[in-house]
Amino acid sequence: MSRNKFMGQLFFEMYQNDPEKTAKILVDAYKEELERIRKFDVKVKQQDEFDEIIKDILPPDEPFSSLAKATMKGEVDTVVLMVKSALENKYPALDIVTKSLVPGIQAAAALYDQNWFYAPDLLMAGSAVQTATPIAMAKVENVERKGLIIMHAPKGDVHDIGKNIVKIILESSFFEAIDLGVDVPAEKVVATAKERQPILIVGSALMTTTMGALVDTGKALQEAGLSIPFAVGGAPLTQKYTENIPLGIYGEGPKDAVEIADLAASGLSWQEIKAKKYVGK
């Protein structure tokens, strides 16, 4: 008699003698295993979702794929070693940056936007990029930047983490960023914009009480005769609220910031960028 048949017969006989007790034994015996299977199923589904978010961002070919994944995870020391190894193996420095480091930080940004990563995760990925990029680019001269961007947190807002994250990603995507800091009055933004002629201005507000300061900055830019696209973002902001901000274009997260910057670099007006990103939404 097989073990399975024996166990089945045993439980059948037990069930005939005491159905309630036998049912309890079965539930207790398999409850932990069923819970483990359920958790595994959830984990598999979550991993599928995770992979779906980054599948079109990370490169398929080695060594770029492994380097991009290490960058995404913020493994700074590993990234540095892999960059040095790639250089020793004669991979072009610019390819190492554009095909590994940049996709890595962009993947981290996408995961951040989808609530898979938190701010420390994104900052670690940014640290990996900031540490490794100079190593890769040490022998590359005259790397052309896509355009100049002015960044700030508006008057009254002293939070800089959102702005700093966006700055890392923009610089990793070959934009030059001038960071005016926090608690920046509209007049300073206008004066810097007139002097430096950026392709884009970015404002980040993390307080409901300082959202209005972005409106003031947009008005000041417009009154000064400037029509520079003004990308705004931060936890309390919405696309609807951004309709109140002159020149305003709503950015939902770091990945949006790069898309808006690329559109601005292509020469589109703020109206054209806004229509391209948000028409029909």
Side-chain angles (χ1 to χ4, degrees):
M1 183 180 292
S2 71
R3 185 172 185 273
N4 287 341
K5 187 174 182 181
F6 173 76
M7 291 298 294
Q9 185 66 31
L10 176 62
F11 277 115
F12 177 72
E13 291 174 358
M14 288 173 62
Y15 187 82
Q16 284 184 316
N17 294 328
D18 192 337
E20 186 174 341
K21 181 180 179 180
T22 305
K24 186 176 186 305
I25 290 172
L26 284 168
V27 169
D28 289 344
Y30 286 98
K31 181 167 60 176
E32 183 177 342
E33 184 66 11
L34 288 170
E35 181 64 17
R36 187 186 70 80
I37 292 170
R38 186 193 68 79
K39 287 181 178 177
F40 177 76
D41 184 53
V42 170
K43 185 177 179 181
V44 169
K45 288 180 181 177
Q46 288 178 338
Q47 186 63 46
D48 287 346
E49 183 183 340
F50 183 98
D51 293 340
E52 182 67 22
I53 293 169
I54 61 176
K55 70 173 186 177
D56 295 326
I57 302 174
L58 297 181
D61 302 327
E62 295 292 356
F64 306 116
S65 178
S66 295
L67 181 47
K69 287 176 183 175
T71 302
M72 177 186 75
K73 294 175 184 177
E75 299 172 349
V76 180
D77 293 341
T78 300
V79 169
V80 168
L81 289 174
M82 292 177 75
V83 165
K84 289 179 178 178
S85 175
L87 289 170
E88 289 171 2
N89 285 285
K90 308 302 181 184
Y91 286 95
L94 199 56
D95 282 356
I96 293 171
V97 175
T98 59
K99 295 182 180 181
S100 297
L101 301 181
V102 172
I105 189 67
Q106 288 176 341
L111 291 166
Y112 177 83
D113 287 345
Q114 296 297 319
N115 299 315
W116 275 87
F117 273 14
Y118 298 95
D121 300 304
L122 198 48
L123 288 171
M124 284 302 296
S127 179
V129 171
Q130 288 184 317
T131 304
T133 298
I135 296 171
M137 302 298 287
K139 295 182 180 180
V140 180
E141 298 179 357
N142 300 322
V143 177
E144 187 175 350
R145 294 284 169 173
K146 296 179 184 177
L148 176 68
I149 298 172
I150 292 174
M151 309 188 67
H152 76 292
K155 187 170 179 59
D157 202 315
V158 295
H159 299 87
D160 64 359
I161 187 166
K163 171 180 62 61
N164 292 348
I165 287 170
V166 171
K167 182 185 177 188
I168 288 170
I169 294 173
L170 287 171
E171 289 182 332
S172 301
S173 300
F174 294 97
F175 289 94
E176 181 184 355
I178 295 176
D179 188 355
L180 299 181
V182 299
D183 191 23
V184 180
E187 296 78 15
K188 184 173 182 179
V189 178
V190 171
T192 308
K194 283 183 174 180
E195 178 185 353
R196 300 301 301 271
Q197 295 295 309
I199 61 165
L200 180 69
I201 296 169
V202 174
S204 173
L206 294 186
M207 301 167 61
T208 55
T209 53
T210 58
M211 294 192 303
L214 291 174
V215 178
D216 295 339
T217 299
K219 287 180 178 177
L221 288 165
Q222 203 169 50
E223 289 169 1
L226 299 172
S227 57
I228 301 164
F230 183 26
V232 298
L237 268 81
T238 62
Q239 184 184 335
K240 184 176 181 181
Y241 184 85
T242 304
E243 296 297 324
N244 302 310
I245 302 175
L247 312 174
I249 305 161
Y250 175 62
E252 192 170 358
K255 189 169 177 289
D256 258 4
V258 176
E259 292 176 5
I260 293 169
D262 280 332
L263 291 171
S266 72
L268 296 183
S269 68
W270 72 272
Q271 298 98 326
E272 290 169 327
I273 297 172
K274 186 175 177 181
K276 198 172 184 68
K277 280 195 65 64
Y278 298 112
V279 66
K281 290 189 179 182

